Amino acid sequence: MTKSYINKFFVMGLLSLIITGCNLFGLELQENYKYDSSTFDPKVDKTVLEYMKSDPALFSSMLEAIKWAEMEEEYNKPNRTYILLTNRALMDEEYLPTNPKIPLGSYFACNKISNPVYNPLDVNTGPATIVPDNWKAYPKEKVKAFLKYHIMLGLNTWKSAPSTQEWFRTAAYVEGLGDSCLICFSVRYDRTTPMGFNNYSATINTSTFSNGPRRGTTNPKYSAIECTNGIVHVLDDYLLPPYMDIIKANNFKVN
């Protein structure tokens, strides 16, 4: 009897004992699972606008903003990187600012409007400012500028992300404008951490400049989704553009 035959006989006997034991104790054998050799495919066979419309639970507020600003066509343009903002980022009533110096919270909560019925002599009219419940509370041009700031020119994903902090133009960018409408975009050189947006500092060499980012860095909820007309990054927080003095003080490269 050869050695290989003995080994085969031993394995078959062992399997028989296992099956018998399972039957004795009333245990069911686990069926072989179907091995799925596929890997995550970031490609989506939809335009960016179609992608948002396919998930209203996540993007209904942004879709309303786009409609109010009459920017539907902007989200069908090619060769763009679209930063899509979730309902949490825009209108979540429970995502409220807790520190006035760091206005983290939904866009509605951080951008209150005047209460049209406010009367300081009548407490029943409510506070002087209130949180709006729809985008029509804001001027159309303001909403348009806000949305355009969240559209980066070109295709920016893991492959193009720099390992150093660099500035990227947005659809709102105007050369020489005081509010530069640039986004600071980078990723760790080893690609072990998520890409970061607006991960710059407003304090440079002990000098504090106009306005810092809302967070030390804002990482995407979902990143590098490839729609048919551009790249998508989904954020749970909106971004604010830095002022020109921060751009100049950082002296970062502008793409």
Side-chain angles (χ1 to χ4, degrees):
M1 187 178 292
T2 64
K3 184 176 181 181
S4 61
Y5 183 83
I6 294 172
N7 289 338
K8 184 177 180 181
F9 180 80
F10 174 77
V11 170
M12 290 178 65
L14 182 62
L15 287 174
S16 178
L17 287 173
I18 292 172
I19 293 172
T20 302
C22 288
N23 289 335
L24 285 173
F25 290 99
L27 300 176
E28 294 182 2
L29 288 175
Q30 180 180 353
E31 294 183 3
N32 292 334
Y33 67 89
K34 294 181 180 179
Y35 174 70
D36 184 2
S37 61
S38 65
T39 57
F40 172 70
D41 186 357
K43 294 185 178 180
V44 177
D45 191 24
K46 294 182 176 73
T47 66
V48 174
L49 196 62
E50 289 170 340
Y51 174 73
M52 280 189 283
K53 289 180 177 179
S54 69
D55 196 349
L58 208 59
F59 300 118
S60 62
S61 186
M62 189 163 188
L63 287 167
E64 290 172 5
I66 292 169
K67 185 176 181 180
W68 169 237
E70 298 178 339
M71 286 182 58
E72 287 90 347
E73 287 305 311
E74 193 75 28
Y75 287 82
N76 286 322
K77 290 183 178 179
N79 199 37
R80 300 280 182 97
T81 299
Y82 296 89
I83 298 174
L84 304 186
L85 304 172
T86 64
N87 289 341
R88 178 183 186 273
L90 298 177
M91 45 117 18
D92 190 338
E93 295 178 356
E94 296 181 359
Y95 186 25
L96 300 172
T98 56
N99 185 343
K101 293 183 179 180
I102 307 174
L104 287 176
S106 68
Y107 184 86
F108 282 6
C110 292
N111 293 270
K112 295 181 179 181
I113 60 171
S114 298
N115 182 351
V117 298
Y118 174 67
N119 182 346
L121 301 177
D122 185 357
V123 295
N124 294 320
T125 61
T129 59
I130 57 174
V131 176
D133 58 5
N134 66 79
W135 286 96
K136 292 183 179 180
Y138 302 112
K140 189 172 292 190
E141 288 305 312
K142 178 179 180 178
V143 178
K144 185 176 291 188
F146 173 73
L147 292 173
K148 289 177 75 173
Y149 179 66
H150 290 83
I151 301 174
M152 300 169 69
L153 302 181
L155 301 176
N156 298 297
T157 182
W158 293 103
K159 294 178 182 178
S160 63
S163 58
T164 57
Q165 292 168 311
E166 296 181 8
W167 297 103
F168 287 76
R169 290 177 174 86
T170 69
Y173 180 78
V174 176
E175 191 74 39
L177 195 67
D179 182 354
S180 64
C181 294
L182 296 171
I183 283 179
C184 187
F185 173 56
S186 66
V187 66
R188 278 270 301 270
Y189 69 92
D190 55 6
R191 301 301 196 262
T192 58
T193 55
M195 58 187 69
F197 294 89
N198 282 359
N199 53 340
Y200 61 89
S201 174
T203 302
I204 302 161
N205 296 328
T206 71
S207 298
T208 301
F209 294 83
S210 302
N211 68 330
R214 300 181 72 236
R215 292 181 176 276
T217 184
T218 300
N219 304 124
K221 181 183 180 73
Y222 308 118
S223 61
I225 299 168
E226 299 177 23
C227 290
T228 56
N229 66 305
I231 301 295
V232 162
H233 304 295
V234 179
L235 269 60
D236 262 342
D237 265 305
Y238 66 93
L239 304 173
L240 288 176
Y243 294 142
M244 186 59 77
D245 60 358
I246 290 180
I247 303 291
K248 291 179 178 178
N250 278 279
N251 197 28
F252 293 155
K253 175 185 176 183
V254 176
N255 293 279

